[in-house]
């Protein structure tokens, strides 16, 4: 971005600063939002480099360092209401709007989902492991790899639901290359990735079915600092969300992390192909 | 796909190029502003250290401690210490300014102390008051050693700015996190090369600046033999 | 402008007494040399004059006024100061070095530079050196610039602290000559520090010999100090050749050059003679000696000659005359005019007559 | 300062108490991601990288300093390596060798080489010419001169280079946590990811404390190993208060 | 062990000819001083002897053997080498500095240290200095240690490159005296470099004067060089007082001290006399002069006396005698024995007689 507008203030009619979390596709979604907003006539739209997890992004929205971030409905709900048990997309979205603090608002959610998914290598899957329940009896011999905050969030939950307690939990990264490399090399045997991640297919990993619905629905939803967007801008994002399906998201991910295209290029193509430009 | 093809298509995208340029500019800003501010701070502190002797030891000790703080640690705690926003690039600017000043304290003091006593004595004897003497005589003569220190600081700043990408601040470091996330060599290589080039260019500029500021040095190096006494 | 030390003592914080109750009156328009072994307080005394060091007690008067009554920086701008290796500013050209004090005193740039150019000439340096930096000058040239810089404020007082000790003996002598020449024109009050007794004798109208501990051992004219040292410390300090050196102060009144047989280099000396002949060139300048009974075939060339001794320039003190006689292979000291032309010769014996006549005493016993 | 008060806004507690809470939580002291384990990991990385870097850099520096050959190349490449961005280097190495520890250690070694090299070389340069001359004039052979004269005299600067390298290593190892390395950097990055101020600050405090402690220990070692005569000579050369002009 | 340069030339890679076709025979057991202006190739010549520099052409023989035939390191261990500022190892104590060459040559530790202790004494340093480090010594002490270190191998040859130029004149004279004393005991072959002609004259059995460009201008005894410089370069270099200085090499053969009227300090001189009286103390040592016609009431005290001139020690060269006469207020130079007791007086005239007798020539013309 432009060095001279370091900490731009958000606000309706003002500058729009779109943030991204350090999940791979987040930046891509941010660029697509940016494109849609520009097409809706907003100028002064910038996209900040990705940073940290949800906590950072929310904090940045709160102090208006950011105006808007793409986020996932389920995780967002858990973030604001730890004990909420809603799992279906609709329930999650409804609950989310209820618990959202007043500085924030969420726009329409997209049909596209990108949930956490536990994956194993083919050699383990070949032993008949297809679901987390299949995995549970073996958990004690397995090392798990995932982001730093995984243990905090899910360790108790997976024990409670599936009675699975891993031998060790190694911090790798948030569905990124460290996790992939660790699983590939056998350093960990189970890893947390994202369902739309292109690396799952590319490495022949096998995603395990979350048969007891531990992970909530994770529809893509724009999280906005309240009042920062004009009606026209909100409408443009709603229109965008309406066409964003899981298949399209997966394809976008392939373009991004496998074909290594520039996110702006991908965003332009996407908006054009979906009649949004 | 060979690396060169990959690099070709990476640089082939106009949007990539625009992004790289933006990152480069931000990198310059993040590295050079602290450099300039840090130099000024170091000079002022050293001036105080010269005028008031006990200050000298305090300065050196302080500089030593600041310099031992690992960059990432400093980057992440600065917002809570000075109350800035967490994504604000000012955090990196402040941290690097601290490093620059800390790094320059010793060379500046050394340089000032290396000014021959004779010269300072004769300046005093000619009726310079201390402040004027510092800026007219001591500081100019300290320039060569000082620039050596500034060159080290500039290289160090330029390479440290990339760590800022880990706390969400732009600059060429973004190319590393991006490349890393996508297992993509091109941005990383481009980022490294640009960092090196930037360091080299700034270094050359500093050498030129030093030449400009110290015409007498050139004269003594080459002129002695050329013109008979 | 006279300078007066009144009971001045300087005790450093560590207890060293560098100057001990010094009383000294320095006359206007003279060169006063402070001399003494290392650490005897010469520099300290000098620097108290321009308040680079403040005395512990006593007072220093400059032109009857206590130096403490002036602002230190202003006082210093009015006193020239030259130190060993000149203390030139390496980062400024020669001209701007010289122009320092005028600029500090608020002269305009053009005027200061014009003055600097004049001074360059005054100290005998070519104008083109003005644009150089100090490091591009030889040691001797640097010292001259140092003197020029000190003269720039046209101050009546000049303090010089071992200004010539960093240059080699030959250059040093040149600088001393130059300083004397300058002083004869400018008539400043110069206080000069050295630890070289020869330099003190050569330059000083008065010499103040200090002993370690910062006490004044003797204060008088150089000839006084050489010929009548007050005690063993002073006589030890002025050195073992003081009899001979003392001749530097004895004018050669009554010394008459005598005729000497000459031979022309390039001419034909003819048959060998049984006495020494002084070989001269066309201009009448001495080239060496033709030894008695030497046989020269054809023209006289330099190869036929024995190298001569030192030359005595007519009118200078008797010391040179004695050395000329002693160093000459013929025993005859060659006397030349200031144009270098032979005026005659003197023998050591004649020189002795002059010396004895002057000291007014016959040989005893 | 406006709406943004950084991390503090989250819990509302002061930063000191948050660090205190973190440190007093026994959970943070246990297991593979507890403080002792992370500290030991960090020290291990620093130690291994330091040894490897020293094995490469010291002989090279001694060779160049002693013979004077390749000095320009050495200084030039040393500066180029210093300019290498830490983050770029470790991510690059990780993609090349997708094994966190190996990639990170190589990166650490690369970055620790320049300070050691510079220290060694500067140390030999600082040996006075007349001393080298006298050694040669007395009939010392090359290796005798190196070990009996040049190395002992250059020891303070050589060790100074090692001190710098250690500081560099402690800092770089923290950054290398980004490519999955363990050590204290984990607290910084993981804490940052979930904005746990206590953890981040604790990580910063631990890293800084480690750096300072190592530096102090090395400074002490430097004093201890510097030959007494050299120490006296250095002190004698320093201008005393006497010579300083007011 | 003699040293011989045979047609030695040294041309540096940049084209500078530092030494040009040098032929020089240095005798066994003598001090030979290489002297000349800066850059004339003195150091280069010296360093070719121990192969610190290899000649471009020509050869150097040490005790009839070409130095190139020995292993350089072994050769150097057998040649003492002292340089300006001593080049002591700062990280080793004084003793272990001195013991360096013995240790290199494989002596056992105990023996090497014993030898080092002896040498410390030889060069006149107290044993307790042995444990200090070089930085804890004064400049003069460091030089002595440098000399001791060079003597350690007991090598018959010693090379000294401006060893005393970094110390002040007084200390320097002490070091020179010490060197001469040492040499009288040890009888080494010493090659000594300086650019100070006085030092050369004082120390050298032979002096080799170099001119810039690395050519030998003159080679002979100091008295030769002073009294018969071969050309203007040499006479210019040896300086203007060379006639007087040359007297340092003239023995005072035939000079007889004459009787002089004496007065005892503490005694009663009685009525005034019309001649000078030499005041002596109980031991017969001179204390000053009692001027003619001076009135002394009661006992003679030092306060009644005129300070005396320099003293001439019987048996030393004629220079001292002349100075004694010239510096004496009475014109009578006081002659003392080596116990400091008055032997009589000489007049300048008598000294001249001796000088003229020695040079074998009468006054000409
Ligand atoms: N700032 C100081 N603090 C303590 N003692 C000092 C200081 N400056 C000088 N001295 C001491 O005072 C004495 C006189 O010093 P000063 O410099 O005046 O001597 P000097 O005659 O100029 O000697 P030199 O010929 O060596 O220059 C010396 O013993 C010196 O060590
Ligand atoms: N390594 C070198 N390369 C080129 N020229 C050199 C080198 N060493 C000495 N010279 C030159 O050779 C000449 C003789 O040098 P040398 O050191 O022998 O002089 P010196 O008589 O000892 O002078 P000084 O009295 O200054 O010590 C000088 O012109 C010097 O500049
Ligand atoms: Mg002094
Ligand atoms: Mg030399």
């Amino acid at each position: 971005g432009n060095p001279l507008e370091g900490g731009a203030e958000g606000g309706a009619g003002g500058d729009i600063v779109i943030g991204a979390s350090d999940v791979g596709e987040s930046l891509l979604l941010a660029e697509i939002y940016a494109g849609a907003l520009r097409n809706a006539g907003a100028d002064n739209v910038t996209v900040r480099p990705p940073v940290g997890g949800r906590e950072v992004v929310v904090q940045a929205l709160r102090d208006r360092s950011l105006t808007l971030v793409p986020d996932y409905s389920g995780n967002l709900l858990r973030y604001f209401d730890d004990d909420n048990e809603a799992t279906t997309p609709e329930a999650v979205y409804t609950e989310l709007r209820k618990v959202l603090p007043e500085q924030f608002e969420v726009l329409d959610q997209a049909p596209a989902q990108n949930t956490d998914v536990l994956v194993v290598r083919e050699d383990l899957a070949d032993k008949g492991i297809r679901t987390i329940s299949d995995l549970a009896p073996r958990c004690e011999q397995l090392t798990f790899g995932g982001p730093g905050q995984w243990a905090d969030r899910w360790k108790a939950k997976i024990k409670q639901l599936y009675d699975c307690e891993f031998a060790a939990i190694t911090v790798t990264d948030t569905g990124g290359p460290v996790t992939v490399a660790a699983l590939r090399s056998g350093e960990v045997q189970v890893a947390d990735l994202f369902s739309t991640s292109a690396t799952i297919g590319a490495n022949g990993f096998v995603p395990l079915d979350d048969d007891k619905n531990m992970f909530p629905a994770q529809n893509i939803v724009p999280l906005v600092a309240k009042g920062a967007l004009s009606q026209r801008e909100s409408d443009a994002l709603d229109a965008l969300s309406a066409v964003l399906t899981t298949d399209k998201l997966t394809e976008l991910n392939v373009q991004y992390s496998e074909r290594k295209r520039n996110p702006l290029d991908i965003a332009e193509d996407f908006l054009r192909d979906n009649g949004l430009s | 796909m060979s690396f060169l093809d990959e690099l070709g298509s990476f640089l082939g995208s106009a949007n990539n190029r625009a992004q790289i340029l933006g990152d480069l500019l931000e990198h310059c800003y993040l590295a050079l502003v602290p450099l300039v501010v840090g130099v000024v701070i170091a000079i002022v502190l050293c001036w105080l250290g010269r005028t008031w002797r006990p200050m000298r030891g305090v300065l050196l000790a302080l500089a030593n401690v600041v310099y031992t703080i690992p960059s990432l640690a400093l980057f992440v705690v600065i917002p809570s210490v000075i109350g800035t926003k967490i994504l604000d690039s000012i955090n990196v600017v402040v941290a690097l300014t601290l490093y620059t000043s800390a790094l320059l304290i010793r060379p500046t003091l050394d340089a000032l102390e290396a000014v021959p006593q004779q010269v300072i004595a004769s300046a005093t004897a000619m009726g310079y008051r201390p402040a004027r003497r510092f800026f007219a005589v001591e500081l100019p003569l300290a320039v060569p050693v000082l620039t050596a220190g500034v060159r080290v600081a500039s290289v160090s700043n330029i390479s440290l700015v990339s760590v800022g990408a880990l706390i969400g601040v732009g600059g060429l470091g973004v190319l590393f996190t991006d490349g890393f996330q996508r297992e993509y060599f091109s941005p990383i290589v481009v980022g490294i090369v640009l960092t090196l080039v930037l360091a080299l260019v700034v270094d050359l500029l500093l050498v030129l600046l030093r030449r400009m500021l110290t015409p007498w040095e050139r004269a003594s190096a080459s002129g002695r033999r050329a013109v008979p006494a | 402008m006279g300078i007066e030390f009144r009971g001045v003592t300087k005790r450093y914080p560590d207890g060293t007494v560098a100057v001990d109750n010094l009383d000294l009156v320095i006359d206007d328009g003279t060169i006063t040399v402070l001399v003494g072994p290392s650490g005897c307080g010469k520099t300290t005394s000098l620097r108290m004059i321009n308040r680079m060091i403040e005395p512990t007690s006593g007072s220093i008067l400059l032109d009857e006024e206590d130096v403490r009554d002036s602002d230190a920086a202003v006082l210093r701008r009015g006193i020239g100061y030259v130190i060993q290796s000149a203390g030139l500013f390496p980062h400024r050209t020669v001209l701007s070095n010289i122009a320092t004090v005028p600029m500090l005193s608020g002269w305009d740039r053009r005027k200061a530079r014009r003055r600097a150019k004049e001074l360059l000439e005054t100290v005998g340096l070519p104008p083109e050196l003005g644009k150089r930096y100090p490091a591009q000058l030889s040691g001797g040239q640097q010292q001259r610039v140092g003197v020029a810089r000190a003269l720039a404020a046209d101050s009546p007082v000049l303090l010089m602290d071992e200004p010539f000790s960093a240059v080699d003996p030959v250059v040093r002598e040149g600088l001393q000559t130059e300083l004397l020449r300058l002083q004869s024109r400018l008539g400043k009050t110069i206080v000069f520090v050295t630890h070289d007794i020869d330099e003190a004798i050569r330059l000083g109208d008065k010499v103040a010999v200090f002993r370690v501990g910062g006490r004044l051992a003797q204060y008088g004219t150089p000839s006084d100090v050489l010929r009548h040292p007050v005690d063993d410390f002073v006589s030890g300090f002025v050195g073992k050749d003081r009899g001979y050196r003392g001749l530097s102060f004895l004018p050669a009144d009554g010394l008459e050059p005598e005729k000497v047989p000459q031979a022309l280099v390039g001419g034909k000396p003819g048959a060998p003679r049984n006495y020494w002949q002084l070989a001269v060139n066309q201009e009448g300048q001495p080239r060496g000696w033709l030894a008695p009974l030497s046989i020269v075939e054809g023209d006289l060339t330099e190869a036929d000659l024995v190298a001569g001794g030192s030359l005595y320039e007519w009118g200078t003190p008797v010391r040179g005359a004695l050395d000329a006689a002693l160093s000459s292979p013929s025993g005859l000291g060659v006397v030349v005019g200031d144009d270098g032309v032979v005026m005659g010769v003197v023998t050591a014996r004649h020189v002795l007559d002059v010396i004895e006549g002057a000291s007014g005493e016959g040989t005893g016993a | 300062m406006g709406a943004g008060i950084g991390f503090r806004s989250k819990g509302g507690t002061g930063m000191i108490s948050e660090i205190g809470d973190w440190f007093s939580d026994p959970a943070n002291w246990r297991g593979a991601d507890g403080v002792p384990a992370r500290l030991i990991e960090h020290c291990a990385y620093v130690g291994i990288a330091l040894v490897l870097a020293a094995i490469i850099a010291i002989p090279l520096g001694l060779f160049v300093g002693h013979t004077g050959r390749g000095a320009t190349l050495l200084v030039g490449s040393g500066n180029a390596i210093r300019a290498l961005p830490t983050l770029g280097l470790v991510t690059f190495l990780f993609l090349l060798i997708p094994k966190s520890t190996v990639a990170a250690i190589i990166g650490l070694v690369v970055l620790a080489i320049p300070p050691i090299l510079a220290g060694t070389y500067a140390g030999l340069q600082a040996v006075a010419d007349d001393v080298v001359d006298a050694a040669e004039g007395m009939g010392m052979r090359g290796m005798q001169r190196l070990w009996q004269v040049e190395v002992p005299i250059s020891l303070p600067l050589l060790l100074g280079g090692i001190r710098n390298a250690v500081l560099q290593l402690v800092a770089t190892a923290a950054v290398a946590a980004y490519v999955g390395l363990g050590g204290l950097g984990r607290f910084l990055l993981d804490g940052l990811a979930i904005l746990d101020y206590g953890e981040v600050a604790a990580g910063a405090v631990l890293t800084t404390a480690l750096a300072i402690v190592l530096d102090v220990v090395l400074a002490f070692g430097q004093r201890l190993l510097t030959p007494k005569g050299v120490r006296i000579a250095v002190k004698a050369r320093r201008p005393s208060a006497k010579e300083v002009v007011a």
Side-chain angles (χ1 to χ4, degrees), chain D residues 3 12 35-36 53 68 85 91 109 124 126 129 159 176-177 182 186 189 204 242 244 246:
Chain D
V35 171
T91 50
V109 170
L124 289 200
D129 285 347
L159 294 173
R186 284 260 63 90
L189 288 181
K242 255 189 196 178
V244 176

Side-chain angles (χ1 to χ4, degrees), chain C residues 61-117:
Chain C
L61 309 186
L62 187 66
D63 202 19
E64 324 272 89
E65 277 188 52
D66 194 320
V67 292
R68 268 170 305 191
D69 295 342
S70 336
D71 172 86
V74 174
L75 173 82
R76 290 175 192 148
R77 286 178 203 161
I79 299 179
Y81 185 67
V82 191
I83 55 180
Q84 180 181 338
S85 79
L88 296 181
F89 299 144
H91 61 303
R92 298 205 182 148
T93 61
V94 165
L95 273 190
S96 95
N97 258 288
I98 301 179
T100 304
V101 174
M103 296 289 286
L104 274 178
S105 313
W107 293 25
D108 82 66
R109 206 184 156 68
R110 183 121 29 108
K111 194 172 149 213
R113 291 185 77 83
R114 205 170 43 236
R115 172 102 181 107
K117 276 185 193 150

Side-chain angles (χ1 to χ4, degrees), chain A:
Chain A
N2 183 336
L4 299 178
E5 40 178 64
E9 297 284 328
D15 294 344
I16 298 174
V17 185
I18 307 178
S21 69
D22 55 10
V23 178
E25 71 190 10
S26 186
L27 178 70
L28 185 52
L29 289 168
E31 290 291 4
I32 292 173
Y33 286 177
L37 289 174
R38 285 194 196 102
N39 291 342
D43 36 13
N44 296 331
V45 180
T46 48
V47 176
R48 285 199 59 106
V51 52
R54 180 158 302 97
E55 289 82 354
V56 182
V57 173
V58 169
Q59 174 63 36
L61 277 175
R62 204 173 255 148
D63 71 19
R64 293 287 175 114
S65 300
L66 296 179
T67 320
L68 160 70
V69 290
D71 211 326
Y72 303 93
S73 55
N75 285 345
L76 206 50
L77 175 60
R78 295 284 169 119
Y79 179 76
F80 289 115
D81 182 12
D82 223 355
D83 306 324
N84 203 300
E85 297 286 334
T87 48
T88 65
E90 292 70 29
V92 166
Y93 187 69
T94 318
E95 288 293 309
L96 175 59
R97 298 190 67 156
K98 271 191 225 153
V99 303
L100 206 58
E102 59 173 316
Q103 306 104 300
F104 307 117
E105 60 181 323
V106 285
L107 304 183
D108 288 355
Q109 64 175 353
Q113 281 214 38
N114 183 12
T115 59
D116 282 270
V117 59
L118 300 193
V119 299
V120 295
R121 279 201 326 207
E122 237 162 27
D123 49 352
L124 188 59
D126 287 349
K127 296 178 181 159
I129 296 175
R130 293 289 158 189
T131 65
I132 302 182
S133 295
D134 296 342
L135 186 73
R138 293 171 181 259
C139 280
E140 285 176 4
Q141 291 113 55
L142 299 176
T143 303
F144 174 85
Q149 61 272 35
W150 200 89
D152 273 355
R153 247 183 241 168
W154 300 111
K155 197 174 158 195
K157 195 90 186 177
I158 197 172
K159 167 103 169 107
Q160 177 205 334
L161 266 184
Y162 289 100
D163 193 26
C164 159
E165 191 165 12
F166 292 110
I169 296 179
T170 300
V171 177
T172 48
D173 61 2
T174 313
V178 180
T179 312
V180 172
L183 184 59
R184 205 155 45 193
S185 70
E187 211 177 303
V188 301
Q189 294 85 45
V190 188
D192 183 29
L193 292 180
F194 293 104
S195 58
T196 56
S197 170
T199 51
I200 298 177
N203 287 286
F205 297 150
V206 179
L208 301 182
D209 191 20
D210 179 15
D211 50 334
K212 294 186 181 164
N213 288 327
M214 176 173 78
F215 298 119
Q218 301 285 12
N219 294 69
I220 308 290
V221 59
L223 175 66
V224 189
K226 191 173 244 166
L229 296 185
S230 66
Q231 189 56 47
R232 189 160 170 228
E233 290 159 351
S234 304
D235 291 347
L237 291 183
D238 287 345
L240 166 65
S241 293
V243 299
L244 187 60
T245 62
T246 301
D247 287 346
K248 282 181 184 163
L249 184 57
T250 310
E251 169 56 21
L252 284 173
N253 267 315
V254 170
Q255 300 250 351
Y256 181 59
S257 32
E258 291 305 309
R259 308 230 348 247
K260 318 226 188 278
R261 294 185 61 205
N262 179 285
L264 263 171
D265 292 339
I266 302 174
E268 261 169 42
D269 289 355
F270 176 82
L271 292 171
R272 196 187 49 242
D273 294 349
N274 289 279
L276 294 166
S277 50

Side-chain angles (χ1 to χ4, degrees), chain D residues 14-75:
Chain D
M15 68 171 182
I16 304 289
S17 74
E18 256 185 88
I19 305 178
D21 289 350
W22 192 89
F23 275 117
S24 53
D25 181 354
N28 292 325
W29 291 85
R30 276 195 305 259
D33 54 359
V35 171
R38 292 294 186 214
L39 201 57
I40 290 170
E41 273 176 347
H42 209 94
C43 290
Y45 303 140
V46 169
I48 293 169
L50 183 68
V51 169
L52 292 177
I55 288 175
I56 298 168
I58 293 180
L60 197 61
L62 289 181
F63 174 80
V64 174
H66 179 73
T67 61
R69 258 177 288 174
T72 0
L73 187 70
L74 176 116
V75 172

Side-chain angles (χ1 to χ4, degrees), chain A residues 1 3 9 22 48-51 56 59-60 63 65-66 173 176-178 184 256-257 260-262 264-265 268, chain B residues 13 15-16 19 22-23 25-26 29 85-89 165-170 174 178 180-184:
Chain A
E9 297 284 328
D22 55 10
R48 285 199 59 106
V51 52
V56 182
Q59 174 63 36
D63 71 19
S65 300
L66 296 179
D173 61 2
V178 180
R184 205 155 45 193
Y256 181 59
S257 32
K260 318 226 188 278
R261 294 185 61 205
N262 179 285
L264 263 171
D265 292 339
E268 261 169 42
Chain B
S13 153
N15 279 326
N16 278 341
Q19 192 214 336
D23 292 340
L25 288 178
E26 179 144 22
Y29 160 79
K85 296 182 188 176
I86 55 170
L87 296 184
D88 206 328
S89 56
L166 298 186
I167 58 159
V169 172
V174 171
D178 177 28
F180 178 69
Q181 287 296 340
R182 293 199 271 162
E183 298 189 53
Y184 191 5

Side-chain angles (χ1 to χ4, degrees), chain C residues 4 52 76 78 82 86 153-154 184-185 248 301 303 313 332:
Chain C
E4 189 176 345
M52 305 270 284
R76 290 175 192 148
V82 191
D154 201 15
S184 70
R185 271 179 48 204
S248 305
T301 65
E313 190 183 328
L332 301 170

Side-chain angles (χ1 to χ4, degrees), chain C residues 42-43 161-162 193:
Chain C
K42 307 180 293 290
T43 297
D161 193 352
E162 308 202 20
V193 166

